[in-house]
Amino acid sequence: MKAAVLGTGMVGRTIAARLAELGHAVTLGTRDPEVTLARSEADAMGTPPFADWGNQHPAIKVAGFADAAVGAELIVNATNGGASLEVLAQAGPENLDGKIILDIANPLDFSNGMPPTLFVKDTDSLGEQIQRAFPGARVVKSLNTMNADLMARPGQLADPGTVFVSGNDAEAKAIVSGLLQDFGHQDVIDLGDITTARGTEMLLPVWLRLWGALGKPTFNFKIVR
Amino acid sequence: MKAAVLGTGMVGRTIAARLAELGHAVTLGTRDPEVTLARSEADAMGTPPFADWGNQHPAIKVAGFADAAVGAELIVNATNGGASLEVLAQAGPENLDGKIILDIANPLDFSNGMPPTLFVKDTDSLGEQIQRAFPGARVVKSLNTMNADLMARPGQLADPGTVFVSGNDAEAKAIVSGLLQDFGHQDVIDLGDITTARGTEMLLPVWLRLWGALGKPTFNFKIVR
């Protein structure tokens, strides 16, 4: 599949590398490819500069958001939640029409310090905001309930746990579910339409507390039943 | 242990019966015992009238909120979230001082129809509201992430999953954790202080969607790590 991953942070890189490893044609979308490739310092989150990573992944192209999206069948939103709507607008609504947007972002609000809160919740969600803003796209919310390493390689846990999908388009959810299984996810629960993203986005606060309590981010939710 | 369970709905009855079965002296607290015992119709939630249940559990006393709380070491808040602060006020702050309040309620708001939303979230929680209103009490939030049957008998699932505790008082959390293990909970995670109740209360929305997707309420969250 031709995939565009929007966002060159750790999450975007991890998903892009996994997709490429599985044989997909991947383009990483960024605001300004020249700036991204020229950066030589770690960013504010401590993410190493892109160039070294790019050199280690020569099959993965880097392009502006619109150039990345135009030829892609699957568009992964791996930007931070607060920037997602603007980035997708830059990618161009015409480049999103009919496409699957796999939205893995969370609506994190760091403006009040740590731990972050959610800038939308309970009566709406980032997934719904994206679906409303780009009605021609087929938004599937998934993977936002675990850390990037586990998104891409859940098999590193003896029990990989559960991954959720939310979306209005059954075919798009089926395609994403297949991809998740290729990643190593064994238990995919279809929660229903995109409004069910409210539930998974609201897992973030307990995820953050669990990170603190367990002292590591490599854990996952599993639904036992 | 002497325990008061405030609330005579299905959740309160289930917890009270389990505590009594484990040998604790249990009093169910209700607004007006005479009214509760005289009621002969199911309530709006379809809960059968109390009298039959009471006759089947003769060891469990029924008393007003304050009479139930006064002699108890452990007070279980099994009221609905919207009524919790008022019920605990009726129980009497002087009857809560130094006591463990095991808060198993969720801040559900049904005023906008189904599914319910949360009347407090993200930057505050019902657990914290209770702790602030009754600073002499030792509030432990737990069990609010699963249905009443599983709270009391998690062993009915092949894998019982995880139960969380949140609270400011280490001794109170240790006592509650021991009780949870007596109930059959094998994996108790201490998330930290009472502010971590924000995380577990925010599990409710995804719990409700999972109930819809799975078609049954007998499932639980497990943290695989």
Side-chain angles (χ1 to χ4, degrees):
Chain A
M1 195 170 1
K2 290 185 72 175
V5 177
L6 308 185
T8 57
M10 283 311 299
V11 178
R13 294 181 199 178
T14 304
I15 297 295
R18 187 69 168 132
L19 285 169
E21 182 185 15
L22 291 168
H24 301 286
V26 183
T27 303
L28 263 172
T30 187
R31 199 171 298 271
D32 184 331
E34 283 186 35
V35 171
T36 297
L37 292 166
R39 206 173 281 136
S40 60
E41 305 284 322
D43 72 8
M45 306 288 283
T47 308
F50 185 82
D52 285 354
W53 187 91
N55 290 335
Q56 289 160 24
H57 298 84
I60 298 175
K61 296 186 204 119
V62 180
F65 292 128
D67 289 339
V70 65
E73 301 150 85
L74 170 74
I75 292 156
V76 181
N77 176 36
T79 64
N80 77 64
S84 295
L85 287 170
E86 186 240 322
V87 164
L88 288 163
Q90 283 198 31
E94 68 282 9
N95 296 327
L96 305 178
D97 263 4
K99 311 286 182 67
I100 299 171
I101 297 180
L102 171 54
D103 173 32
I104 65 176
N106 277 306
L108 292 179
D109 177 1
F110 291 93
S111 67
N112 298 307
M114 296 295 286
T117 53
L118 301 178
F119 64 75
V120 62
K121 61 214 164 221
D122 205 12
T123 56
D124 195 9
S125 61
L126 178 60
E128 288 164 271
Q129 290 185 337
I130 293 172
Q131 184 63 79
R132 283 200 303 273
F134 307 99
R138 301 185 289 166
V139 179
V140 179
K141 186 96 202 185
S142 191
L143 287 174
N144 60 308
T145 55
M146 66 195 79
N147 99 321
D149 267 356
L150 286 177
M151 290 180 188
R153 297 186 184 284
Q156 68 191 272
L157 290 178
D159 182 338
T162 299
V163 65
F164 309 98
V165 293
S166 302
N168 298 341
D169 188 290
E171 190 197 41
K173 284 193 285 193
I175 291 169
V176 167
S177 297
L179 202 60
L180 296 172
Q181 282 158 353
D182 294 342
F183 281 11
H185 293 280
Q186 295 167 10
D187 184 32
V188 183
I189 296 183
D190 182 349
L191 289 174
D193 68 23
I194 193 65
T195 68
T196 64
R198 297 174 196 179
T200 59
E201 292 179 8
M202 287 173 79
L203 285 172
L204 223 284
V206 78
W207 189 93
L208 289 168
R209 270 65 177 208
L210 281 163
W211 185 14
L214 300 174
K216 61 174 187 178
T218 46
F219 61 85
N220 195 16
F221 300 99
K222 179 185 171 78
I223 305 304
V224 290
R225 67 259 197 198
Chain B
M1 194 167 5
K2 290 185 73 174
V5 177
L6 309 186
T8 57
M10 284 311 301
V11 180
R13 294 180 200 179
T14 304
I15 297 294
R18 186 69 167 131
L19 285 168
E21 183 184 14
L22 291 167
H24 301 285
V26 182
T27 304
L28 262 172
T30 188
R31 200 171 297 272
D32 184 329
E34 284 186 35
V35 170
T36 297
L37 292 166
R39 206 173 282 135
S40 60
E41 304 285 321
D43 71 9
M45 307 287 283
T47 308
F50 185 82
D52 286 353
W53 187 91
N55 289 335
Q56 289 160 23
H57 298 84
I60 298 175
K61 295 184 206 124
V62 180
F65 292 128
D67 289 339
V70 64
E73 302 150 83
L74 169 73
I75 292 156
V76 181
N77 176 34
T79 64
N80 77 64
S84 295
L85 287 170
E86 187 240 320
V87 165
L88 288 163
Q90 283 200 31
E94 68 281 11
N95 297 328
L96 305 178
D97 263 3
K99 310 286 183 67
I100 298 171
I101 297 179
L102 171 54
D103 173 31
I104 66 177
N106 276 306
L108 292 179
D109 177 2
F110 291 91
S111 67
N112 298 306
M114 295 296 285
T117 53
L118 301 178
F119 64 76
V120 62
K121 61 213 161 219
D122 205 13
T123 55
D124 196 9
S125 61
L126 179 60
E128 288 164 89
Q129 290 185 337
I130 294 172
Q131 184 63 79
R132 283 198 303 273
F134 306 98
R138 301 185 289 167
V139 178
V140 179
K141 186 96 201 185
S142 192
L143 288 174
N144 61 308
T145 56
M146 66 195 80
N147 100 319
D149 267 356
L150 286 177
M151 290 180 188
R153 297 185 185 283
Q156 69 190 271
L157 290 179
D159 181 338
T162 299
V163 65
F164 308 98
V165 293
S166 302
N168 298 340
D169 187 290
E171 189 196 43
K173 284 193 286 192
I175 291 169
V176 167
S177 297
L179 202 59
L180 296 172
Q181 282 158 354
D182 294 343
F183 280 12
H185 293 280
Q186 295 167 12
D187 184 32
V188 183
I189 295 183
D190 181 351
L191 290 173
D193 68 23
I194 192 65
T195 67
T196 64
R198 297 174 195 178
T200 58
E201 292 179 8
M202 288 172 78
L203 285 172
L204 223 285
V206 80
W207 189 93
L208 289 168
R209 270 67 176 205
L210 282 162
W211 185 14
L214 299 175
K216 60 173 187 178
T218 46
F219 60 87
N220 195 16
F221 300 99
K222 179 185 170 78
I223 305 304
V224 289
R225 69 257 196 200

